[in-house]
Structures are given as structure tokens and as C-alpha cells.
Amino acid sequence: MKRIRQWWTEERAKVKNLPSEKRMPYIWSYYRLWIIGILVFAFVLVWGVHHYFTTEPDYWFFACFANTRADIGDGSEFWQDYADYAGYDLAEKNLEFNAQVFVDPAGYTAGNQYYQLLIAYLDSGTLDVLVMGREDLQAMGRSGRLMDLEDPRMQAILEQYQDRLIWAEPLDEEYGKDLVPVGIDLSGSILDEAYPEGAALGINAKVPHPAEVETFLSYLFAGAAG
């Protein structure tokens, strides 16, 4: 703490002694990452407070469709069709389909507001499932934020979709295995048009409504067959 105070004192003196026209360029040059980080944190905090006070306290189901421009978000025909299929009373609880997230989990994520929102959804136990490209889902799965489909709660899904499993090599050695099934290939599902290059579904490791995931998967493939 003493070293930090000393550094801060020295930096304040340095900036104060600079000509006024050179202060902002100096601050931006040396502290832009800190500034960006603080702004991102503030954005996520404001979003979190807004989200808490303006949405219902519970959902029937919450899905995120990342990296697509297709009209499959809240209020879309897709959203309404699924609400009808699942028999949800939307006056009682919300059905959330977020299709406004654009991320590259394997690439540069610092300062990406969409990525911060997605992590907030996952880590808070708000999100049920994440749909995105197969390679993107594998990259996300490495972080441990997606359910290991060999979890006992996922037994029925594992058995039904075992020929569609997508595997990822976990970063955390505590898994005790080299590969973990983290997703389900959605090829041939109703989402083919939204994801022409292929999509996969991952389940949040902190999934709040695990029983609803099987219903959602059934809808995706039944809709394609119909």
C-alpha cells in the first residue's frame, strides 16, 4: 500500500508539472487501459442495476444466441413459437431470448462489453443455455463456465444427444480429464438458417432451470422436422 501511495504521489506531481496541453495526451497514452477497464466496469454495473430493477425476478427460461443477425430474440416469431410449444404463461414469468451478443471467446475479450455481459449472465446463474458457433462454444467451454454434460443432472440429454457431443479441453486441471463434453451440435435443427456455418448449444454450469433445457432441445429438432 505504501508503494502504491508513493507511485500515485509521483504520478500526480509528474502530470501537474506538464504543460496543460500535454496532460491529456500523457494520461491517455499511459493509462488508457485503466480508463477503458473502469468504463467497462461502470457499464456492467449500471446494466446490472438496471436489469435488477426493471425485469421480473424469475424466468421460465433464458437463452442467449450469440453472433447472429437473425430475428430470433425477444418478441420474435421464434420466441413466441417456443413459448407456445413449452406452454409458458408469459404473464407469470419471463421468457428471455437475447440475440444481441457478439463475442469472440478465443480472441481479444478485454473491453468487449458484449463479452462482459455474457460472463455476467453465466456467472450470476441467470442464463440457461448459450448458442453460438461450434468453435466459439468450445473456446467458451474451456473456461469451465459451461456444464460438463456427464453431470448426473444431464444424463437424459447425454444419452439422447451422445452422437452430437462437442468436446473441449478444460483449462482447469481439477476436471481430472483431458476432454469434457460441453455442447451439443445443432446441425439439422431449426437454427440452421440463423447459423449457416453451424451452431452448438452449451448449458450454463450454473444453469437455473435444468429441466427446461431438454424441452428447448426437443423444440429445436422437432421444429426442423416439422
Side-chain angles (χ1 to χ4, degrees):
M1 184 63 70
K2 185 177 179 181
R3 291 178 62 185
I4 293 175
R5 272 200 226 102
Q6 182 180 356
W7 171 83
W8 177 244
T9 301
E10 291 174 354
E11 283 300 305
R12 284 182 63 190
K14 186 184 297 183
V15 172
K16 186 176 180 180
N17 291 330
L18 287 172
S20 58
E21 68 273 10
K22 292 186 178 181
R23 288 177 186 172
M24 288 307 298
Y26 175 85
I27 292 172
W28 180 249
S29 176
Y30 286 93
Y31 301 109
R32 63 178 177 273
L33 292 180
W34 283 93
I35 294 171
I36 292 171
I38 291 170
L39 290 174
V40 169
F41 175 78
F43 174 84
V44 172
L45 180 63
V46 170
W47 171 86
V49 172
H50 173 77
H51 192 266
Y52 179 82
F53 286 107
T54 60
T55 60
E56 294 294 325
D58 196 11
Y59 299 96
W60 288 111
F61 190 68
F62 194 129
C64 177
F65 303 93
N67 305 332
T68 179
R69 300 286 181 181
D71 182 17
I72 55 176
D74 287 350
S76 65
E77 183 179 351
F78 175 73
W79 173 85
Q80 186 62 60
D81 282 350
Y82 180 62
D84 294 341
Y85 178 89
Y88 294 152
D89 180 354
L90 299 181
E92 181 182 345
K93 298 180 186 179
N94 286 347
L95 170 62
E96 181 77 11
F97 279 7
N98 186 324
Q100 300 296 320
V101 170
F102 301 90
V103 296
D104 177 11
Y108 182 75
T109 56
N112 184 317
Q113 296 174 356
Y114 293 116
Y115 184 78
Q116 300 299 329
L117 287 177
L118 179 56
I119 295 304
Y121 282 143
L122 290 164
D123 289 353
S124 65
T126 303
L127 187 69
D128 287 295
V129 299
L130 171 63
V131 176
M132 59 198 328
R134 289 186 285 265
E135 292 183 1
D136 287 337
L137 193 78
Q138 284 179 308
M140 183 63 74
R142 296 191 69 205
S143 69
R145 288 188 167 94
L146 298 182
M147 177 77 73
D148 177 348
L149 296 180
E150 292 179 334
D151 183 289
R153 290 173 293 172
M154 298 293 114
Q155 183 176 356
I157 289 176
L158 182 69
E159 292 176 355
Q160 185 172 357
Y161 300 99
Q162 59 183 327
D163 59 337
R164 291 180 170 273
L165 295 180
I166 291 176
W167 302 73
E169 182 179 354
L171 295 173
D172 190 345
E173 295 181 357
E174 291 185 5
Y175 274 102
K177 46 188 177 181
D178 295 331
L179 292 173
V180 175
V182 297
I184 296 168
D185 188 336
L186 297 180
S187 299
S189 76
I190 198 173
L191 290 175
D192 279 352
E193 187 173 343
Y195 292 90
E197 296 182 4
L201 177 145
I203 302 169
N204 187 2
K206 298 180 180 180
V207 57
H209 311 107
E212 302 303 315
V213 177
E214 191 171 358
T215 302
F216 183 63
L217 282 165
S218 296
Y219 168 75
L220 294 181
F221 289 104

